[in-house]
Amino acid sequence: MQKALRAYGEVLRLVRRLPKDTRPYYAKYARENFVNYRDVDPNDLQDLFKRTYTHALWVLNKYSVDEAAANKLKGVCFD
């Protein structure tokens, strides 16, 4: 649970790097996804963390934000 909360916090920090008009959408999207998967089987968590990181990179690239911004998220998801 702690790892998921740390990942969620990092995702929200990344959302702040996006253009102002897109932030509410991605913040809501992130919250909905974390809420929807809170009761997932612990064996599936690593796959979800991998998807979290991959999707974050996709969004950052879409808005031309440096991928290095996601290094903390990578550390959380793959430690």
Side-chain angles (χ1 to χ4, degrees):
M1 180 64 143
Q2 286 292 10
K3 185 175 179 178
L5 290 174
R6 287 189 3 237
Y8 178 62
E10 289 302 324
V11 168
L12 291 181
R13 284 182 193 84
L14 292 174
V15 167
R16 285 190 236 143
R17 295 176 173 262
L18 300 176
K20 208 169 221 173
D21 61 328
T22 64
R23 292 176 192 170
Y25 170 79
Y26 284 105
K28 183 178 179 183
Y29 179 83
R31 177 165 169 64
E32 288 174 354
N33 275 283
F34 275 88
V35 168
N36 287 340
Y37 290 107
R38 69 177 156 207
D39 294 325
V40 73
D41 182 0
N43 296 325
D44 298 330
L45 279 177
Q46 193 55 41
D47 184 50
L48 284 174
F49 286 126
K50 181 180 177 188
R51 284 181 26 204
T52 299
Y53 177 71
T54 303
H55 187 73
L57 289 182
W58 183 87
V59 173
L60 292 175
N61 285 324
K62 178 179 177 180
Y63 293 103
S64 302
V65 177
D66 186 15
E67 283 186 17
N71 284 343
K72 276 186 155 182
L73 178 61
K74 184 178 183 180
V76 170
C77 290
F78 297 107
D79 70 353

